[in-house]
C-alpha cells in the first residue's frame, strides 16, 4: 500500500439488518439516564475521531459496552471495529463467546497478540503477574493501537472500580508514548469533551465511567444481554493457590506439589486470564441469583484479581504506563 | 457517638429492579484545603455501607501506614486515589464516588481546595445539582470559601449545604456557628444562591453526617444525609422548548437517514414541526428511535435518533428546535473561568466547543475581571489561570445557543488552545451581541445546497498539504483541469500565487504564516458556500492550522490530501532552488530543513508523487470524489 493513495475514509458497507431494540419495559429511569449518557459519549467518539476502536475484553462490562454501541448506531452498525488483546491465556469459553458474538452481530473483530512476548515464552506462572501483564497486556495493547494508528480506544472501565479510576476523565488523554499523566488531566465540564490531539497522541474513552457494578448487572438483566457462562455458577475444576481459587482451564497450568484439582461449584465476578482470575464459591446459576448474591456480598469485585495486589498504587502505575 | 447504628442509611438492598427508581442527586464538595472534604465523603461512603470488607481491610492497613489520624481509620484515604495525594495528604483531582441510601442514589464529586486547582472545582460543579461547602469552624468564611461559592453561582448552582466542620475544636460553640451561618448567608444572597442549609458537623466522628449529634443539642436541623435525601433541586428542563443538538448523522443505507443526539431540553413527538438551526429550514419529525425501541415521544435527557419528513441539509453542530427560536449569533458575551497556565490573549484564535458545534473564536474584548474576594468588577487586559472575567467573543460562524442561566447544555462552552490543545477556559454565555436577542440567522433565499444542486456537485475543499517541491501545485492544477473537463466548478487557490495578491502584506514569521493559512481557509470556505470545489495548494506545515481550516467548513466538506513525497526527493527536485538556499542558511525557518512539517495523522487521501505519476494521482482523487458522492 505504501506510495499508493490510501483512502482512510472508506464508507462502511450498507447493511440492512433490522436490529430492533427489545420491547420497552419499565426500566428504572436511572439506568435509562446512564444509558443515554453512554450513548452520547459513544456518538461523540465516532464523530470526533478519525479512527476509533472499541476494546472488547469479553467481560460483562464489555458486553454492556457492545450492547450500548449497537443501540447508539442502530439501525446501522457501530462505525468502529472491536479489538481484543489476546494474551493466549484467556478462558477457552471466553474465546468461543467472543467469536460467536462478533459473528452474530456482523462486526469487524481484530485480535492482537504480542508475538514477541509469545516467542519469549512469557507466561503468568514463571514470570509473575506484573511482568506478564506488562508484556502481554499493556505492551500488546500499545502495539495494536500503533499498528492500526487508532486515535481513540473505547474501554469499559468504571469509576467505582478502583481509586485511581475514580479520578480519570471520560475522555482521557494519552501521550504519543501512551502515557497517562494523572496530574495534568484536561478539565471536563458539562458534556463537553476536549477531543483535540497532536500527532501520535490518542484518547482513551470510558462511556461506563458513571456506572456501578450493580448497575451493570441490573442492566444485563433488564436488557437480557448475553454474557460468558463463566459468570454463572457451575462445577469447575479448581485448585486453591495463594488464597484464591484458580480454575485449571487447560493442561498448560503447572500444578504445585500437593495441588489436586477439585470440582467445586464456582463462578467468576471478573474475567481475564484464567491463571489470574480467582473464582468464588457460589451456587448462583441464573442472573437474578447473581444479582441477589452480589447485593449481599461483602467484598469488591477486584478482590479476585491477582494483578491489583502487586503494590498499593499498582493500578495507577499500570495505567500511567498504558494499561487499560 | 455510635455510627454503627446508622438509622436512615442502609446498603442498597431493599428496593429491587422493578420498583427501584430512586432518583440520583449529583453534588459537589468544596472548601479549603484541610477543611475535611475527603473525610466527609469517606464518612458518607462508610456510613452508607458502600464499603466492602476487603476495602475496609485495605483502609485499616493504609490508615496505619499512610494515614494522618494516628492509626484511626483515615476516611480521606478512601477518596485520595492518586499516589501523590496520599503522600502529601491532599486532594489533587476530582474524584467521583457513588453511594445510595434507601431514598436516593448519589454521585459526589470531591474537589480540591488548593487555589491552583480551582479548575477542578469548576469541573465538579458543572454537572452538580447541589454543593456541599465545607468550612473549618475555627476559621469561618475565608477567601477560598468566597472563591468557591462564586464559581458555584457562576456555574448555576442554586442549592448549598454549608457544613461547618471541626465543631469539636471550638467546643461545640453554637454562637460561633450562628455567626458563621450569618456571614455565609450574606455571601450567598449576593451571589444569588437561593437555598442554603447550614449544618454543624464533626466529619471524622460522624456528628450530624448520618445520625444527629448528641454533642450539639442546640442544633435542631437535619443531618447532612437527611437533607441530601430530601432536598428538591428539580429544575425541569422538559418544560423548556425542544432543543436537540445534532451529534451524528446515521446513514447506514440509502433508505435511512437519522439524526442522533441527546435532547437538551423540552419534549418531541412524531408529527411535530421542527426547524433546523441555524439554517431555519422547517420539517416534520417522522420517527423517534430510542434505546428502548421506537416511540411516539421523547423528552430531555434521552439519546434519540429522529427521522425527518424532508430531505434537507442537517449536519453535526446543527440544532433541531421547536417553539421559540433559539439564539443564533456569531457574537456573544460570556463569563470565562480561565484554566490554562498560559494567560488569555485577546485577539488570539481559540477553538470553541458548544454543544456539538466547534468553531474558531476570538476574544475581542475583556469587559472586566472579577475580584474574587469582593466580587467587584475591575478593569484588566488579561485573565491568568483561575481568574474569572466577562468577555465578548467573535465566532467564525454563527452558533445556536441559549443563555446559560436558562439552559446549561445550550449555554456552556469550552475554549481549547489550538496549539497546545489544552482546555484554556470554560464559558457561560450571558447574551447575544447582535443587537437585541431576537436577531436570528436569516436563511438566505439561495443557499449552499441550492447552488450545489445547480452545479450537480457537493461543494468541498481539497486541501493539498506537503513539503515545498512535493508536487502540490502541479497535482492541484491537474485535478482542476480534470474537473473542468467533467463540467464541474472548481477554483484553485495556490499558496504562492495568493502571496502576490491578497497575502502580499505577509512575511514568513510564524504569526504571518498562521495568518496566511487562516486567510486561505476563509477564502476556501467562501467558495464552498458558493457551491464550488475549492482546491488549495499550500505547505501548511502545522496540523493545528489545518484543523482550524477543517473546522471552517462543515463536516465532510474538508478533504485533506497529503502530498507525501519524501524530503530527499523534494530536495532533489528543488524546482525553485529554495532547498539550496535553505541549506546555505539563506532561508531561515524553511519547512523540512529547520522548521518541522507536521504530517497529517489521518488524511482522507495520501499521495507520494515519487511513486505515482501526476495523471494517476489525479485519477485516484477523482475516483475518491465519485465514490464519496462529491461528483
Amino acid at each position: 500500500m505504501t506510495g499508493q493513495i490510501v483512502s482512510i475514509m472508506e464508507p462502511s458497507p450498507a447493511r440492512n439488518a433490522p436490529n430492533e431494540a427489545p420491547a420497552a419495559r419499565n426500566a428504572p429511569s436511572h439506568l435509562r439516564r446512564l444509558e443515554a449518557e453512554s450513548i452520547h459519549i459513544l456518538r461523540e467518539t465516532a464523530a470526533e475521531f478519525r479512527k476509533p476502536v472499541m476494546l472488547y475484553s469479553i467481560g460483562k462490562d464489555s458486553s454492556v459496552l457492545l450492547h450500548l454501541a449497537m443501540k447508539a448506531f442502530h439501525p446501522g452498525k457501530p462505525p468502529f471495529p472491536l479489538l481484543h488483546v489476546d494474551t493466549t491465556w484467556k478462558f477457552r469459553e471466553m474465546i468461543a463467546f467472543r467469536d460467536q458474538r462478533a459473528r452474530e452481530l456482523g462486526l469487524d473483530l481484530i485480535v492482537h497478540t504480542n508475538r514477541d512476548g509469545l516467542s519469549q515464552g512469557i507466561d503468568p506462572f514463571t514470570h509473575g503477574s506484573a511482568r506478564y501483564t506488562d508484556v502481554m497486556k499493556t505492551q500488546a495493547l500499545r502495539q495494536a493501537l500503533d499498528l492500526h494508528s487508532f486515535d481513540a480506544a473505547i474501554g469499559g472501565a468504571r469509576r467505582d472500580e478502583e481509586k485511581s479510576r475514580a479520578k480519570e476523565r471520560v475522555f482521557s488523554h494519552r501521550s504519543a508514548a501512551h502515557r497517562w499523566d494523572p496530574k495534568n488531566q484536561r478539565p471536563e465540564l458539562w458534556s463537553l469533551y476536549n477531543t483535540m490531539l497532536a500527532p501520535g497522541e490518542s484518547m482513551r474513552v470510558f462511556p461506563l465511567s458513571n456506572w456501578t457494578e450493580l448497575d451493570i448487572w441490573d442492566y444485563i438483566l433488564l436488557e437480557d444481554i448475553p454474557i460468558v457462562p463463566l459468570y454463572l455458577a457451575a462445577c469447575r475444576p479448581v485448585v486453591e493457590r495463594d488464597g484464591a481459587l484458580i480454575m485449571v482451564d487447560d493442561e498448560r497450568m503447572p500444578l504445585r506439589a500437593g495441588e489436586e484439582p477439585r470440582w467445586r461449584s464456582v463462578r467468576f465476578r471478573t474475567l481475564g486470564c484464567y491463571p489470574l482470575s480467582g473464582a468464588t464459591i457460589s451456587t448462583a446459576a441464573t442472573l437474578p441469583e447473581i444479582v441477589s448474591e452480589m447485593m449481599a456480598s461483602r467484598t469488591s469485585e477486584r478482590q479476585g484479581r491477582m494483578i491489583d495486589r502487586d503494590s498499593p498504587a499498582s493500578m495507577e502505575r499500570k495505567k500511567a504506563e498504558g494499561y487499560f | 457517638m455510635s455510627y454503627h447504628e446508622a438509622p436512615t442509611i442502609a446498603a442498597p438492598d431493599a428496593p429491587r429492579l422493578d420498583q427501584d427508581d430512586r432518583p440520583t442527586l449529583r453534588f459537589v464538595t468544596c472548601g479549603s484545603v484541610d477543611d475535611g472534604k475527603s473525610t466527609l465523603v469517606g464518612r458518607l461512603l462508610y456510613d452508607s455501607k458502600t464499603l466492602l470488607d476487603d476495602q475496609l481491610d485495605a483502609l485499616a492497613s493504609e490508615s496505619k501506614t499512610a494515614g494522618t489520624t494516628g492509626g484511626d481509620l483515615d476516611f480521606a484515604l478512601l477518596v485520595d486515589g492518586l499516589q501523590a495525594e496520599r503522600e502529601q495528604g491532599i486532594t489533587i483531582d476530582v474524584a467521583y464516588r457513588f453511594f445510595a441510601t434507601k431514598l436516593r442514589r448519589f454521585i459526589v464529586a470531591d474537589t480540591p481546595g488548593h487555589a491552583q486547582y480551582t479548575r477542578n472545582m469548576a469541573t465538579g460543579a458543572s454537572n452538580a445539582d447541589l454543593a456541599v461547602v465545607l468550612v473549618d469552624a475555627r476559621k469561618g468564611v475565608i477567601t477560598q470559601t468566597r472563591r468557591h461559592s462564586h464559581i458555584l453561582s457562576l456555574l448555576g448552582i442554586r442549592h448549598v449545604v454549608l457544613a461547618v466542620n471541626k465543631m469539636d475544636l471550638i467546643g461545640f460553640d453554637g454562637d460561633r456557628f450562628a455567626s458563621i451561618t450569618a456571614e455565609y448567608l450574606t455571601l450567598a444572597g449576593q451571589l444569588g444562591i437561593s437555598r442554603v442549609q447550614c449544618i454543624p458537623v464533626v466529619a471524622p466522628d460522624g456528628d450530624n453526617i448520618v445520625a444527629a449529634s448528641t454533642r450539639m443539642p442546640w442544633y435542631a436541623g437535619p443531618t447532612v444525609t437527611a437533607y441530601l435525601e430530601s432536598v428538591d433541586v428539580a429544575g425541569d428542563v422538559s418544560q423548556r422548548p425542544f432543543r436537540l443538538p445534532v451529534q451524528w448523522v446515521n446513514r447506514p443505507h440509502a433508505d435511512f437517514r437519522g439524526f442522533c443526539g441527546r435532547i437538551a431540553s423540552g419534549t418531541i413527538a412524531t408529527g411535530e414541526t421542527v426547524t433546523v438551526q441555524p439554517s431555519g429550514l422547517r420539517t416534520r419529525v417522522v420517527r423517534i428511535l430510542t434505546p428502548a425501541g421506537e416511540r411516539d415521544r421523547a423528552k430531555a435527557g434521552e439519546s434519540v435518533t429522529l427521522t425527518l419528513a424532508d430531505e434537507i441539509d442537517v449536519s453535526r453542530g446543527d440544532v433541531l428546535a421547536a417553539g421559540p427560536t433559539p439564539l443564533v449569533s456569531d457574537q456573544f458575551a460570556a463569563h470565562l473561568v480561565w484554566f490554562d497556565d498560559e494567560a488569555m490573549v485577546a485577539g488570539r484564535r481559540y477553538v470553541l466547543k458548544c454543544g456539538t458545534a466547534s468553531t474558531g473564536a476570538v476574544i475581542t474584548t475583556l469587559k472586566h475581571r472579577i475580584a474574587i474576594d469582593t466580587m467587584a468588577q475591575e478593569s484588566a487586559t488579561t485573565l491568568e489561570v483561575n481568574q474569572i472575567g466577562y468577555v465578548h467573543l467573535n465566532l467564525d460562524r454563527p452558533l445556536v445557543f441559549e443563555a446559560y442561566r436558562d439552559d446549561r447544555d445550550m449555554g456552556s462552552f469550552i475554549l481549547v488552545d489550538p496549539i497546545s490543545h489544552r482546555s484554556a477556559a470554560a464559558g457561560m454565555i450571558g447574551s447575544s451581541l447582535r443587537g437585541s436577542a431576537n436577531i436570528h440567522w436569516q436563511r438566505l433565499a439561495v443557499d449552499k445546497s441550492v447552488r450545489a444542486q445547480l452545479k450537480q456537485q457537493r461543494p468541498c475543499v481539497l486541501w493539498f498539504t506537503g513539503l515545498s517541491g512535493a508536487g502540490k501545485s502541479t497535482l492541484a492544477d491537474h485535478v482542476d483541469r480534470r474537473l473542468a473537463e467533467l463540467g464541474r466548478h472548481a477554483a484553485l487557490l495556490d499558496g504562492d500565487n495568493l502571496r502576490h495578491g491578497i497575502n502580499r502584506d505577509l512575511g514568513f514569521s510564524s504569526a504571518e504564516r498562521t495568518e496566511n493559512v487562516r486567510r486561505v481557509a476563509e477564502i476556501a470556505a467562501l467558495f464552498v458556500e458558493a457551491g464550488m470545489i475549492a482546491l488549495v495548494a499550500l505547505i501548511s506545515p502545522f496540523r493545528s492550522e489545518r484543523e482550524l481550516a477543517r473546522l471552517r467548513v462543515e463536516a465532510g466538506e474538508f478533504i485533506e490530501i497529503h502530498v507525501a513525497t519524501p524530503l530527499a526527493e523534494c530536495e532533489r527536485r528543488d524546482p525553485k532552488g529554495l532547498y539550496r538556499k535553505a541549506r546555505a542558511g539563506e532561508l531561515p525557518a524553511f519547512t523540512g530543513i529547520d522548521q518541522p512539517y507536521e504530517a497529517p495523522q489521518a488524511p482522507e487521501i495520501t499521495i507520494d508523487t515519487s511513486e505515482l505519476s501526476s495523471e494517476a494521482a489525479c485519477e485516484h482523487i477523482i475516483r475518491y470524489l465519485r465514490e464519496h458522492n462529491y461528483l
Side-chain angles (χ1 to χ4, degrees), chain B residues 400-530:
Chain B
V400 186
F401 58 90
E402 301 281 4
Y404 183 77
R405 65 175 172 275
D406 296 331
D407 190 327
R408 275 201 206 184
D409 283 343
M410 297 281 297
S412 55
F413 63 90
I414 55 170
L415 294 181
V416 180
D417 185 308
I419 309 296
S420 71
H421 298 161
R422 287 193 295 266
S423 296
M428 281 77 53
I429 299 175
S431 60
S432 165
L433 288 178
R434 286 277 186 210
S436 77
N438 294 324
I439 307 274
H440 301 300
W441 189 245
Q442 286 306 306
R443 190 161 83 80
L444 303 171
V446 182
D447 70 5
K448 179 166 58 180
S449 59
V450 174
R451 291 186 226 272
Q453 266 169 21
L454 278 174
K455 297 185 166 65
Q456 309 218 322
Q457 64 190 25
R458 241 171 90 200
C460 59
V461 178
L462 299 179
W463 191 282
F464 296 80
T465 173
L467 296 166
S468 177
K472 300 179 298 295
S473 298
T474 312
L475 181 55
D477 185 53
H478 225 106
V479 174
D480 189 27
R481 274 184 284 138
R482 187 80 182 90
L483 287 170
E485 283 167 24
L486 295 166
R488 312 301 171 144
H489 297 72
L492 177 57
L493 302 169
D494 185 86
D496 287 349
N497 295 349
L498 291 169
R499 279 189 176 274
H500 294 301
I502 190 165
N503 289 342
R504 73 167 161 220
D505 56 326
L506 298 177
F508 290 88
S509 71
S510 16
E512 287 168 311
R513 293 185 80 152
T514 301
E515 175 60 13
N516 183 39
V517 175
R518 189 194 70 82
R519 287 186 196 174
V520 178
E522 288 293 328
I523 298 167
L526 285 174
F527 276 110
V528 167
E529 204 54 46

Side-chain angles (χ1 to χ4, degrees), chain A residues 182-296:
Chain A
K183 290 194 241 1
N184 196 18
Q185 299 194 77
R186 293 172 177 180
E188 206 161 67
L189 293 94
W190 303 289
S191 309
L192 291 172
Y193 304 110
N194 176 355
T195 52
M196 289 183 78
L197 298 173
E201 294 177 347
S202 63
M203 203 68 85
R204 303 277 168 96
V205 183
F206 303 108
L208 303 180
S209 286
N210 289 327
W211 295 58
T212 63
E213 187 188 9
L214 185 59
D215 293 329
I216 294 287
W217 283 115
D218 278 346
Y219 190 68
I220 287 171
L221 194 57
L222 176 79
E223 295 273 317
D224 203 13
I225 300 170
I227 51 166
V228 183
L230 290 162
Y231 285 113
L232 306 174
C235 266
R236 300 188 171 97
V238 292
V239 295
E240 208 171 320
R241 179 178 290 185
D242 305 331
L245 290 174
I246 303 297
M247 178 172 160
V248 183
D249 194 48
D250 59 37
E251 69 295 339
R252 289 179 298 171
M253 178 160 165
L255 293 177
R256 295 178 189 167
E259 278 182 347
E260 179 73 34
R262 282 179 54 201
W263 287 82
R264 302 177 75 168
S265 179
V266 295
R267 66 179 194 86
F268 294 85
R269 278 180 81 178
T270 58
L271 289 177
C273 301
Y274 81 80
L276 300 176
S277 301
T280 51
I281 298 287
S282 167
T283 54
T286 65
L287 276 178
E289 282 169 16
I290 288 181
V291 174
S292 46
E293 191 178 276
M294 227 211 82
M295 307 291 312

Side-chain angles (χ1 to χ4, degrees), chain B residues 578-596:
Chain B
L578 297 176
Y579 283 95
R580 199 165 28 79
K581 280 192 195 164
R583 289 288 183 200
E586 293 164 33
L587 279 180
F590 189 74
T591 303
I593 304 297
D594 45 15
Q595 194 178 56

Side-chain angles (χ1 to χ4, degrees), chain B residues 132-291:
Chain B
V132 176
V133 176
L134 272 105
V135 296
D136 184 328
R138 294 168 300 177
K139 299 180 196 154
V141 175
I142 59 170
T143 304
Q144 278 293 325
T145 318
R146 292 176 185 280
R147 176 188 295 264
H148 288 155
S149 300
H150 194 187
I151 295 171
L152 293 174
S153 101
L154 271 178
L155 283 147
I157 305 274
R158 297 286 168 260
H159 296 261
V160 164
V161 173
L162 185 78
V164 181
N165 193 19
K166 306 192 183 179
M167 287 299 291
D168 53 333
L169 301 183
I170 59 160
F172 305 101
D173 182 350
D175 291 340
R176 175 75 181 128
F177 174 73
S179 74
I180 294 171
T181 300
E183 192 180 356
Y184 191 77
L185 286 174
T186 308
L187 174 67
Q190 290 165 354
L191 292 170
I193 295 171
S194 50
R195 288 193 58 186
V196 178
Q197 175 70 47
C198 302
I199 305 176
V201 303
V202 183
D205 297 344
D207 292 67
N208 286 334
I209 304 296
V210 174
S213 171
T214 53
R215 299 190 285 187
M216 289 174 274
W218 45 264
Y219 175 74
T223 63
V224 172
T225 308
Y227 187 75
L228 294 177
E229 279 182 327
S230 61
V231 60
D232 177 17
V233 295
D236 193 357
V237 284
S238 296
Q239 302 303 316
R240 294 195 36 83
F242 172 72
R243 305 284 184 256
L244 174 70
V246 175
Q247 260 192 300
W248 173 261
V249 180
N250 190 358
R251 195 147 202 198
H253 49 81
D255 301 328
F256 187 90
R257 195 162 71 123
F259 303 97
C260 308
R262 191 161 50 160
I263 303 174
S265 63
T267 59
I268 191 72
T270 50
E272 287 183 351
T273 300
V274 291
T275 60
V276 182
Q277 300 293 345
S279 73
L281 295 165
R282 296 173 84 79
T283 184
R284 236 171 357 88
V285 174
V286 178
R287 297 173 65 193
I288 301 174
L289 306 183
T290 81

Side-chain angles (χ1 to χ4, degrees), chain A residues 74-90:
Chain A
H74 171 79
K77 291 278 159 70
F80 38 74
L82 305 183
L83 169 65
H84 178 230
V85 174
D86 191 349
T87 59
T88 72
W89 289 94
K90 300 293 171 189

